[in-house]
Amino acid sequence: MGTCGSRDDRSEKIDNELKTAKKTYSKQLKILLLGPGESGKSTIFKQMKIIQDDGGFSQEELMRFRTSIYTNCISQMRCVMNALLEQKVPFTDSDNAPLADVIINYSGADWTNDLGNIIKKLWEDQSVQEVFKTYSSHYQLNDTAKYFFENIERINSSDYVPNEND
């Protein structure tokens, strides 16, 4: 009989946990966002988080975005450099050609100030701007690429903390 009593206690405990979980999960709303890449699924999620009652991102959450922002800056500039080369557009400043090679051949995962400075210098080149404007849709660049390139100096600072616009 001792065994039955402990089994009933476990069963009751499990039942109580299930009731608690049901109450918790019944208050949650789940949304499935479908769509092709770069169609705004993540943006919708981020905007919903920002506009909720005590919304916005914590300092820790914002700091986690840094890695994604850095990675996107590198990959998007690499796309622009590949477009420039494929379209055979010369740099306005010929000194930028070796810098393009650095970005194209970069295989690391870490952001450095040197990379940020290279991206800044490349973005300031008129030919790069023109290729970006003309071919950005052809090369499937992120909608945010221009924003990040225009803010690269702030992003490249050692004390950079992403803001809600980032």
Side-chain angles (χ1 to χ4, degrees):
M1 265 181 115
T3 307
C4 288
S6 69
R7 183 173 181 162
D8 288 340
D9 290 342
R10 282 189 297 173
S11 178
E12 188 175 322
K13 183 179 177 184
I14 291 170
D15 288 343
N16 287 336
E17 287 176 10
L18 288 171
K19 285 177 188 175
T20 303
K22 183 178 180 181
K23 286 179 187 176
T24 301
Y25 293 123
S26 68
K27 295 176 185 176
Q28 289 183 350
L29 177 64
K30 295 183 180 183
I31 299 173
L32 174 63
L33 299 174
L34 300 174
E38 299 306 312
S39 64
K41 298 178 298 294
S42 296
T43 303
I44 289 172
F45 171 74
K46 290 173 187 171
Q47 291 299 320
M48 288 172 58
K49 182 158 176 57
I50 290 168
I51 63 172
Q52 68 183 356
D53 288 341
D54 55 346
F57 295 98
S58 69
Q59 191 76 3
E60 182 181 319
E61 289 171 317
L62 289 171
M63 293 305 284
R64 282 189 295 216
F65 286 124
R66 280 173 59 151
T67 303
S68 295
I69 292 167
Y70 292 151
T71 302
N72 283 335
C73 287
I74 295 166
S75 68
Q76 294 303 289
M77 185 54 75
R78 182 179 296 125
C79 285
V80 175
M81 293 302 97
N82 285 328
L84 189 117
L85 294 173
E86 285 178 25
Q87 300 302 321
K88 296 180 175 39
V89 176
F91 286 99
T92 305
D93 179 353
S94 60
D95 291 342
N96 286 337
L99 300 179
D101 289 337
V102 171
I103 295 296
I104 289 168
N105 297 315
Y106 184 74
S107 61
D110 296 328
W111 180 264
T112 66
N113 282 342
D114 288 341
L115 278 172
N117 292 332
I118 289 170
I119 291 171
K120 182 179 186 297
K121 182 122 173 61
L122 291 170
W123 182 245
E124 291 170 347
D125 191 291
Q126 284 304 111
S127 295
V128 172
Q129 298 268 336
E130 193 58 39
V131 165
F132 181 87
K133 186 172 133 185
T134 307
Y135 298 104
S136 62
S137 62
H138 179 72
Y139 287 92
Q140 298 179 341
L141 292 165
N142 293 347
D143 293 339
T144 57
K146 182 178 181 182
Y147 170 82
F148 288 122
F149 294 153
E150 289 175 347
N151 287 278
I152 196 68
E153 196 165 335
R154 178 176 58 85
I155 291 167
N156 198 34
S157 70
S158 59
D159 60 348
Y160 169 61
V161 176
N163 60 41
E164 290 182 347
N165 292 328
D166 294 348

